[in-house]
Amino acid sequence: MRTAFTELVGVRHPLVQTGMGWVAGPRLVSAVANAGALGILASATMPLEQLKAAVREVKSRTDQPFGVNLRADAADARERVRLIVDEGVRVASFALAPSRELIAELKDAGVVVVPSIGARRHAEKVAAWGADAVIVQGGEGGGHTGDVATTVLLPQVVDAVDIPVIAAGGFHDGRGLVAALSYGAAGLAMGTRFLLTSDSTVPDAVKARYLAATVKDVTLTTAVDGLPHRMLRTSLVDSLQSAGRSRTLLRAVRHAAAFRKLSGLSWADLVRDGLAMKHGKELSWSQVLLAANTPMLLRAAMVEGRTDLGVMASGQVAGVIDDLPSCAELVARVLAEAEDTLVRLHRPHTSGALPTPG
């Protein structure tokens, strides 16, 4: 199944594993790459030297193309760009729109630039600046997300830009791949589905919580960091939603102190990062701190297995996933399902005519 996206990045299949913080590490990314899809390494939670080591570990595990997800507003964004250029990384993805200058620097070095966007105007902007492709996430997607459904947003963006568009938000199988292609997408990106594989390093207890979740157990809340954030409903989320300002601020300071120690950031850096994540919204100081150290809340669950204290970002699709295949098994399954779906669509109706209404 060749598309404009597979030709652009050099992978065998039009599937992408998104750059999930604390989840998309070398083991998962290399497993996805070896399965013929594009794995994206999450770098926002890694200091620069750790990112270098992670990139080299992926390269030691696979000779297939892979990508690195970057924060365009990070203080060391240019150093990270130079690192992936020097290391020969094929794709740079961005959770926030990169500047025109960063795009140009990457393209000049032969790196494919693929920002993630949640609105048509954002896609138009990065396309005009030279982005090679875009990942379009509808509101069903996990983590920070918008409020426009994929089925509405995706065709808008496909009609608006002339670069490959990758669909994300609400997908987990081959039927979804065919649906995305029918809208004009050149591929499919999945986060939660790749998180729930045997190659993912997320603790078993956390995976069990995801597998047990129903669609109604996935909520969209602003209580964690003041921004719309889709995640599993937990006691922590419930307590944040019901907490008063003083209690929320105390919790935010405690988490911020822990993340500052882990990341090596100063308090000024934390506040700067929190303010950068505001996106023009009015946030309280506790929300600014929570926005800055949301990675710490994610780490508690995704690394330490603390489902009681951590945040578990999740797409709504978690409610319909019930197994943990390997990445190779998942990719093969999605492609087989897509082929079966295409065969069914082309098969004549058994009666030889369309059914009559009524």
Side-chain angles (χ1 to χ4, degrees):
M1 189 176 290
R2 309 299 295 179
T3 70
F5 180 73
T6 62
E7 297 298 327
L8 175 67
V9 300
V11 294
R12 300 194 303 275
H13 310 306
L15 299 173
V16 178
Q17 161 255 304
T18 59
M20 301 164 282
W22 305 115
V23 176
R27 192 172 90 179
L28 179 62
V29 171
S30 57
V32 171
N34 285 327
L38 182 70
I40 298 179
L41 188 68
S43 78
T45 55
M46 298 179 185
L48 193 61
E49 286 304 311
Q50 184 181 352
L51 173 58
K52 180 187 292 186
V55 167
R56 292 181 176 179
E57 183 177 347
V58 175
K59 290 166 64 178
S60 73
R61 290 170 173 260
T62 184
D63 59 358
Q64 299 300 307
F66 67 96
V68 171
N69 182 258
L70 304 169
R71 272 190 60 178
D73 62 343
D76 60 352
R78 288 198 174 277
E79 288 83 353
R80 290 170 184 263
V81 164
R82 284 196 291 272
L83 187 155
I84 67 173
V85 169
D86 292 342
E87 293 293 331
V89 175
R90 178 62 178 155
V91 177
S93 77
F94 290 87
L96 299 174
S99 66
R100 189 192 303 266
E101 292 72 24
L102 278 182
I103 293 176
E105 184 174 345
L106 287 161
K107 286 175 66 70
D108 286 346
V111 179
V112 177
V113 180
V114 187
S116 295
I117 59 93
R120 172 178 174 168
R121 67 182 185 278
H122 298 154
E124 292 172 330
K125 179 174 70 174
V126 296
W129 287 355
D132 296 292
V134 289
I135 296 175
V136 177
Q137 178 175 302
E140 301 96 322
H144 291 119
T145 193
D147 56 4
V148 180
T150 304
T151 51
V152 176
L153 179 61
L154 177 58
Q156 276 190 323
V157 175
V158 168
D159 291 344
V161 300
D162 59 0
I163 56 177
V165 175
I166 311 304
F171 298 104
H172 73 290
D173 62 9
R175 293 173 300 175
L177 174 57
V178 173
L181 295 174
S182 73
Y183 275 113
L188 192 64
M190 300 182 292
T192 306
R193 177 64 276 194
F194 278 109
L195 183 156
L196 293 173
T197 59
S198 59
D199 295 303
S200 161
T201 58
V202 170
D204 290 342
V206 177
K207 291 180 181 178
R209 285 292 298 269
Y210 278 96
L211 293 177
T214 67
V215 173
K216 292 185 177 180
D217 293 322
V218 183
T219 186
L220 182 66
T221 181
T222 59
V224 171
D225 54 18
L227 305 172
H229 202 152
R230 192 173 292 287
M231 61 187 66
L232 293 188
R233 190 186 304 278
T234 64
S235 57
L236 170 66
V237 174
D238 290 340
S239 67
L240 286 173
Q241 288 177 324
S242 61
R245 286 191 174 186
S246 59
R247 182 180 170 193
T248 302
L249 180 59
L250 179 62
R251 187 192 300 267
V253 170
R254 186 168 67 249
H255 284 300
F259 182 54
R260 190 179 73 87
K261 181 178 180 181
L262 180 72
S263 64
L265 296 174
S266 67
W267 283 106
D269 289 334
L270 275 178
V271 172
R272 180 190 59 78
D273 284 353
L275 291 172
M277 294 176 68
K278 286 179 64 173
H279 297 295
K281 300 182 184 297
E282 292 296 326
L283 302 185
S284 67
W285 279 109
S286 59
Q287 288 171 327
V288 167
L289 284 176
L290 282 169
N293 68 82
T294 295
M296 194 64 184
L297 299 176
L298 290 165
R299 183 181 189 276
M302 301 304 175
V303 177
E304 299 169 5
R306 295 299 304 270
T307 59
D308 55 334
L309 296 177
V311 164
M312 290 174 280
S314 175
Q316 287 181 309
V317 75
V320 295
I321 294 174
D322 59 7
D323 65 348
L324 298 170
S326 69
C327 289
E329 291 167 341
L330 175 61
V331 169
R333 179 200 301 175
V334 169
L335 292 170
E337 290 169 346
E339 294 292 345
D340 289 344
T341 300
L342 290 171
V343 169
R344 288 201 313 273
L345 289 173
H346 285 90
R347 184 181 299 139
H349 194 271
T350 54
S351 66
L354 292 175
T356 303

